[in-house]
Amino acid sequence: MEINGSVYNSGNISQRNVDAEGQTSVLSSNLFLDHVGEVTLTLNSDGLSWKSLYSLDNDGSTCLGIKFLPRVATKMATKLTFSDIYAVEIIDSDVIQESDLTLAAECFVGNGSHDSGMNHFMVHTFQKSKSQPCLWSLAVYKFGNKDLQTCQMWVNKINDSLSKEVGRPKNLLVFVHPMSGKGNGRRIWEAVAPIFSCAKINTKVIVTQRAGHAFDVMTSATNEELNSYDGVLAVGGDGFFNEILNGFLSSRHKAPFPPIPSDFLDALGNNSNPLVNDPNEADSEIHNNIESDPLLSSSAHNESGFSHLRTNDGSHIEDQQIENPLPNQRLRFGIIPAGSTDAIVICTTGARDPITSALHIILGKKLCLDVAQVVRWKTTSTSKIEPCVRYAASFAGYGFYGDVITESEKYRWMGPKRYDYAGTKVFLKHRSYEAEVGYLEVESEKDSSILDGSRMLSRVRSLKRKKSERNICQANCDVCNTKPVYSSIRSPPAISSPEARWLKSKGRFLSVGAAIMSNRNERAPDGLVADAHLSDGFLHLLLIKDCPHALYLWHLTQLARKGGNPLNFDFVEHHKTPAFTFTSIGKESIWNLDGELFQAHKLSAQVFRGLICLFASGPEV
């Protein structure tokens, strides 16, 4: 034994402590690994590694001249990083299986088994699908040793290393929508809940009882109460996440309303643009428009156990100030997919899989997400309940998209198939709506000159890029991680500067859409805009002008085809912008915000770059 050199041996265990130069300690033991046999397990600064003590080239690996290889062992990893391990635990004694190699070698020799009196510990991790790297599945490595203290020592050492992993949640608030998608929300949560328990994550679970339940809980929760959690999870679809997001932001997000052109204000009968969002106004509108908004409820009951945010007269409690400015990177949001489309999950993890999403959350992945603020303005100068503010994380759509979501509400009993049925009915009706859309052009440093009409047309066409030129958003995205060359909407100088210009498009539109992300889903494998990014501070404004039935069908067919070019049509306008306005003229449709209905005759919208953080790492492309 050598103390100063920090190396000592005890049986089959060796350990080296931190030396004078600060090198990380190393622990090594001979253990039995399930399906492999005896291995030398080593712990170092970044994870675990092991090496089998059996040689595949010796005579003992053959039987009757046939060489037996450990089939499972050859497919297993020989190293695990702590960033990929989410739990380790001692388990009750049972039989640990030797490798195929050991069994083959002993087929005539008759050596005794090592199973007797074995103690075990399990290391929980995950593995990626070879064909779909975004799809993660659970994996476990079971190690054994006859000495219980040796197993306990390994568990303690690994837990010490896991406790140093940054960003992993310990306490989560979970909302479960029992009727999402095919009505499997509760079952899906029950399937993934044991993974959170194994990782020693405390969860407070609220199964929603009505529309707007989650919104009311998030709105009434104080900052102090929310700060006791590391994140908020939604077990449901995009619409359910939208409800939670709006409940969180409606009472906490203090920011200017979207910029609007001067004539837009004149049409409203106002003399000035409000500077700060007053959540009391939006809250008043919400509770006076219950029947027309299926998302929100005016229930005064506090079913969450949280204290109310406001007093009975509607005033704010004095100590309920904005303690944590947005974005709050500690309080993250997570989604366990249980909806009909789950576009947000597909865009942020790459897979529509509850296990994959649960692992992203447990391992503390972090991804910033743009959020659009959508404001419904008063339609008359005497209106007192406007403007009304809502938020969207994936998409805002009018016309075809709004009609489909409205029609589908009649057929909820059909489950996800209702969207196909409703979409077919709406397509056959081929309704168009007259409207005026304004969008803000923000010049980059590379092109600060004012564009004339021909250059603008050229720029629009340049957005219709081929598949090979698409810059797809993915894990560690360079676009999302790069500071923009202009200020974001949250820093208004670029928008209010003289160089900023409002451009307009007026006519009859089959649909008007604003994509905040690509919106990939099973019906549109590349999404509405294939190269839209999760956190670049842009909306992708899609204006589909009235056109013949056949051409519109061609456009929809391109959306449904992987590698298609749905934007490459003369009747399609695609504008990349941080803000836009909309005014309906004549017969109206309804807006679809992340799958939720929102009726608005006149609205404006802007994007806030990286306003919230998700438990996700982005898709692997």
Side-chain angles (χ1 to χ4, degrees):
M1 179 179 293
E2 183 179 339
I3 301 299
N4 293 333
S6 301
V7 177
Y8 66 92
N9 292 289
S10 178
N12 65 340
I13 304 173
S14 64
Q15 178 170 322
R16 183 182 307 144
N17 296 327
V18 178
D19 59 22
E21 297 179 358
Q23 296 296 319
T24 306
S25 64
V26 173
L27 176 66
S28 181
S29 296
N30 290 345
L31 302 170
F32 285 90
L33 175 58
D34 196 10
H35 295 296
V36 175
E38 193 171 8
V39 299
T40 299
L41 180 64
T42 302
L43 182 147
N44 47 46
S45 60
D46 63 345
L48 304 173
S49 61
W50 59 89
K51 182 178 180 181
S52 175
L53 296 181
Y54 295 99
S55 171
L56 300 181
D57 296 324
N58 58 26
D59 294 337
S61 62
T62 61
C63 186
L64 297 178
I66 302 174
K67 189 171 185 177
F68 287 83
L69 298 178
R71 294 186 301 272
V72 177
T74 57
K75 297 179 181 179
M76 294 176 67
T78 58
K79 183 175 181 178
L80 292 174
T81 60
F82 290 126
S83 61
D84 292 341
I85 298 173
Y86 66 87
V88 59
E89 59 179 339
I90 292 280
I91 60 173
D92 295 334
S93 297
D94 58 13
V95 176
I96 202 166
Q97 299 178 9
E98 299 285 344
S99 69
D100 296 344
L101 167 61
T102 305
L103 296 176
E106 294 177 352
C107 62
F108 288 114
V109 178
N111 291 342
S113 173
H114 297 281
D115 297 334
S116 177
M118 191 74 70
N119 300 285
H120 311 114
F121 66 93
M122 299 178 70
V123 178
H124 296 271
T125 181
F126 70 94
Q127 61 184 8
K128 298 179 180 180
S129 168
K130 291 183 179 180
S131 59
Q132 302 179 59
C134 292
L135 186 63
W136 297 1
S137 59
L138 301 177
V140 63
Y141 294 84
K142 186 163 68 172
F143 296 91
N145 193 284
K146 293 185 177 181
D147 182 15
L148 179 61
Q149 291 185 348
T150 298
C151 292
Q152 189 63 59
M153 177 193 64
W154 273 98
V155 169
N156 294 340
K157 289 288 186 180
I158 295 173
N159 274 326
D160 287 343
S161 297
L162 294 181
S163 66
K164 298 174 183 176
E165 290 293 309
V166 179
R168 295 195 177 183
K170 299 297 181 185
N171 297 285
L172 294 171
L173 177 60
V174 182
F175 291 97
V176 179
H177 192 319
M179 301 306 295
S180 282
K182 297 181 180 179
N184 294 328
R186 191 192 297 266
R187 180 186 61 80
I188 289 175
W189 169 248
E190 291 173 350
V192 300
I195 311 175
F196 289 88
S197 299
C198 181
K200 296 181 174 60
I201 296 175
N202 299 317
T203 56
K204 177 177 179 177
V205 181
I206 299 176
V207 180
T208 58
Q209 304 298 318
R210 54 179 171 78
H213 186 173
F215 176 90
D216 288 343
V217 173
M218 291 300 295
T219 303
S220 63
T222 65
N223 286 334
E224 181 180 1
E225 288 164 336
L226 283 182
N227 284 340
S228 66
Y229 298 99
D230 301 306
V232 179
L233 306 189
V235 184
D238 296 336
F240 188 51
F241 175 70
N242 178 275
E243 178 182 333
I244 294 171
L245 177 69
N246 275 273
F248 175 73
L249 293 177
S250 64
S251 58
R252 295 171 177 84
H253 188 216
K254 301 289 186 179
F257 282 129
I260 50 181
S262 58
D263 57 345
F264 190 87
L265 275 175
D266 293 339
L268 295 173
N270 295 320
N271 296 321
S272 60
N273 186 9
L275 295 178
V276 178
N277 171 16
D278 182 359
N280 282 326
E281 290 189 74
D283 187 65
S284 174
E285 188 280 337
I286 286 169
H287 293 282
N288 284 280
N289 195 31
I290 305 165
E291 295 182 357
S292 62
D293 194 336
L295 169 64
L296 307 175
S297 170
S298 63
S299 173
H301 300 291
N302 189 357
E303 300 173 59
S304 67
F306 288 141
S307 62
H308 281 287
L309 181 66
R310 299 180 179 89
T311 59
N312 292 332
D313 62 359
S315 61
H316 282 80
I317 300 173
E318 290 185 1
D319 62 356
Q320 182 63 24
Q321 301 298 323
I322 304 302
E323 300 168 359
N324 299 312
L326 296 170
N328 183 348
Q329 297 196 14
R330 194 190 71 80
L331 182 67
R332 277 167 280 173
F333 293 86
I335 308 175
I336 305 293
S340 300
T341 306
D342 299 314
I344 298 177
V345 165
I346 295 175
C347 290
T348 55
T349 69
R352 189 185 183 186
D353 176 62
I355 298 294
T356 299
S357 294
L359 289 168
H360 276 262
I361 295 165
I362 291 169
L363 294 173
K365 302 298 182 181
K366 184 175 72 174
L367 182 71
C368 290
L369 201 66
D370 288 346
V371 175
Q373 178 198 54
V374 181
V375 178
R376 177 173 65 203
W377 293 88
K378 61 177 66 178
T379 55
T380 65
S381 60
T382 59
S383 176
K384 296 180 179 180
I385 62 173
E386 305 285 356
C388 170
V389 179
R390 287 278 291 275
Y391 296 90
S394 62
F395 180 71
Y398 182 86
F400 178 81
Y401 301 108
D403 292 347
V404 169
I405 197 71
T406 303
E407 187 72 22
S408 68
E409 288 296 314
K410 304 175 185 176
Y411 309 101
R412 278 194 167 271
W413 55 271
M414 296 178 64
K417 292 182 179 179
R418 69 183 185 272
Y419 293 109
D420 295 328
Y421 180 71
T424 301
K425 288 187 65 176
V426 172
F427 169 76
L428 292 176
K429 291 181 180 178
H430 201 63
R431 289 177 293 207
S432 61
Y433 301 92
E434 189 172 0
E436 181 177 275
V437 180
Y439 52 96
L440 189 64
E441 178 191 50
V442 179
E443 298 290 349
S444 68
E445 292 178 350
K446 295 181 180 180
D447 185 13
S448 59
S449 61
I450 298 178
L451 299 178
D452 56 27
S454 60
R455 293 182 61 196
M456 187 63 215
L457 180 60
S458 175
R459 184 167 187 173
V460 170
R461 289 175 176 171
S462 70
L463 292 172
K464 302 173 182 179
R465 294 187 294 274
K466 296 180 180 179
K467 179 181 177 182
S468 60
E469 299 172 331
R470 292 172 180 169
N471 187 357
I472 305 299
C473 192
Q474 56 187 308
N476 301 315
C477 178
D478 292 335
V479 174
C480 295
N481 294 332
T482 301
K483 185 177 180 180
V485 296
Y486 55 86
S487 300
S488 70
I489 288 291
R490 300 184 73 246
S491 301
I495 291 179
S496 59
S497 64
E499 290 79 11
R501 293 206 310 154
W502 283 95
L503 303 176
K504 294 184 179 181
S505 180
K506 185 176 181 180
R508 297 196 66 85
F509 301 99
L510 292 170
S511 67
V512 175
I516 307 156
M517 57 178 65
S518 64
N519 287 279
R520 288 195 295 275
N521 58 79
E522 293 178 352
R523 295 174 179 81
D526 288 338
L528 298 176
V529 183
D531 52 356
H533 287 264
L534 297 172
S535 184
D536 64 351
F538 281 114
L539 294 164
H540 289 261
L541 189 61
L542 303 177
L543 308 180
I544 313 299
K545 295 182 177 180
D546 198 1
C547 65
H549 235 126
L551 287 179
Y552 191 48
L553 178 61
W554 191 5
H555 163 74
L556 295 177
T557 302
Q558 290 293 307
L559 274 176
R561 185 173 69 86
K562 190 170 182 61
N565 283 302
L567 307 182
N568 195 22
F569 293 93
D570 291 338
F571 59 88
V572 177
E573 290 186 26
H574 173 205
H575 307 288
K576 197 173 178 180
T577 178
F580 76 93
T581 62
F582 169 88
T583 302
S584 175
I585 303 173
K587 185 179 178 181
E588 297 183 12
S589 176
I590 197 165
W591 282 88
N592 171 357
L593 302 186
D594 291 349
E596 295 297 324
L597 301 175
F598 187 62
Q599 191 167 5
H601 165 77
K602 185 182 290 286
L603 64 76
S604 62
Q606 64 177 327
V607 65
F608 290 87
R609 188 177 191 190
L611 184 62
I612 62 170
C613 291
L614 259 63
F615 287 107
S617 59
E620 295 186 32
V621 179

